[in-house]
Amino acid sequence: MTDKINRAVEIRWHGRGGQGAKTACLMLADVAFASGKYVQGFPEYGPERQGAPITAYNRITDAPCKVHSNIYTPDYVVVVDETLLKSVDVAKGIKKEGSLIINSRKSPEALRPLLNGYKGKICTVDAERISIETLGKNFPNMPMLGAVVKVSKVIDQDRFISDMRESFEHKFAGKESVIVGNMKAVVKAMEEVEVGE
């Protein structure tokens, strides 16, 4: 087994308590596992409260992974709340070839000055608008989940959409409007995520 075969894709999530970053992280782990990957999905616990910054992590591999630690050099960083750019160094440790995926209506280049000299790829998606349009409320986590799958290609997109639908049907059995809204949010974000340089 070579390192290439078992190279981990590592993702760090930044959000605020109550925005669903932890939920999206765990759903990504579930869907990646369903597609045959080996996965880890875990939050970093602290004195979380509604609105406080939180961090969560995914590690996804094609073979068993024996590394069990926080992620310090992620391939992808997902920022569920743009206001965190003012208080958290979200680009810290990100690999040179990695990508930042930020919930913002601004362009990737408009956000670059807020990123402490980060020179890598920035992707943006207006997850707030998408969630309000599809769910009627600001639940940015599902659009951000769609965006990270689109940008990272960590899971086949068609398989991801199919498995997400199955997961929502199980989780929200009998709540068709919630299932439809969440699926629209995921797919719309995959279509609209803007990939900058």
Side-chain angles (χ1 to χ4, degrees):
M1 178 173 12
T2 69
D3 285 342
K4 185 173 182 185
I5 291 172
N6 198 31
R7 184 188 171 283
V9 174
E10 296 181 322
I11 301 167
R12 187 174 69 219
W13 296 76
H14 292 282
R16 292 189 183 278
Q19 293 179 323
K22 179 179 110 174
T23 300
C25 168
L26 297 178
M27 286 193 84
L28 177 57
D30 286 346
V31 175
F33 179 76
S35 73
K37 304 279 188 181
Y38 291 83
V39 300
Q40 295 173 14
F42 54 98
E44 180 176 57
Y45 283 107
E48 281 83 8
R49 62 191 184 283
Q50 192 81 9
I54 65 110
T55 310
Y57 305 92
N58 287 112
R59 186 175 281 120
I60 301 171
T61 60
D62 290 322
C65 180
K66 296 179 180 172
V67 176
H68 297 279
S69 68
N70 284 354
I71 292 170
Y72 302 102
T73 55
D75 299 282
Y76 302 95
V77 172
V78 185
V79 182
V80 181
D81 189 317
E82 180 184 352
T83 65
L84 290 170
L85 301 182
K86 296 174 183 173
S87 58
V88 176
D89 184 4
V90 297
K92 183 177 182 180
I94 191 168
K95 290 184 175 84
K96 186 178 178 182
E97 64 278 9
S99 297
L100 271 170
I101 306 158
I102 303 170
N103 172 15
S104 178
R105 62 180 54 124
K106 296 175 185 160
S107 72
E109 286 313 307
L111 294 175
R112 192 171 295 282
L114 302 174
L115 296 170
N116 297 324
Y118 172 71
K119 303 211 181 312
K121 188 180 288 183
I122 302 169
C123 308
T124 58
V125 64
D126 191 350
E128 178 179 347
R129 178 186 53 76
I130 290 171
S131 64
I132 290 170
E133 286 176 3
T134 58
L135 297 163
K137 292 184 180 176
N138 184 15
F139 293 125
N141 61 337
M142 288 303 106
M144 294 309 292
L145 177 55
V148 75
V149 168
K150 173 75 174 195
V151 171
S152 70
K153 300 178 176 57
V154 69
I155 306 169
D156 174 78
Q157 290 179 42
D158 292 335
R159 174 74 191 260
F160 168 71
I161 290 168
S162 171
D163 287 348
M164 282 300 294
R165 184 178 306 280
E166 191 174 312
S167 177
F168 286 139
E169 285 171 353
H170 175 74
K171 187 173 183 179
F172 300 114
K175 298 180 180 177
E176 187 63 25
S177 65
V178 175
I179 296 166
V180 169
N182 274 290
M183 285 308 303
K184 282 183 179 175
V186 167
V187 172
K188 196 169 180 64
M190 294 174 84
E191 292 169 350
E192 292 187 14
V193 64
E194 181 181 351
V195 180
E197 292 304 315

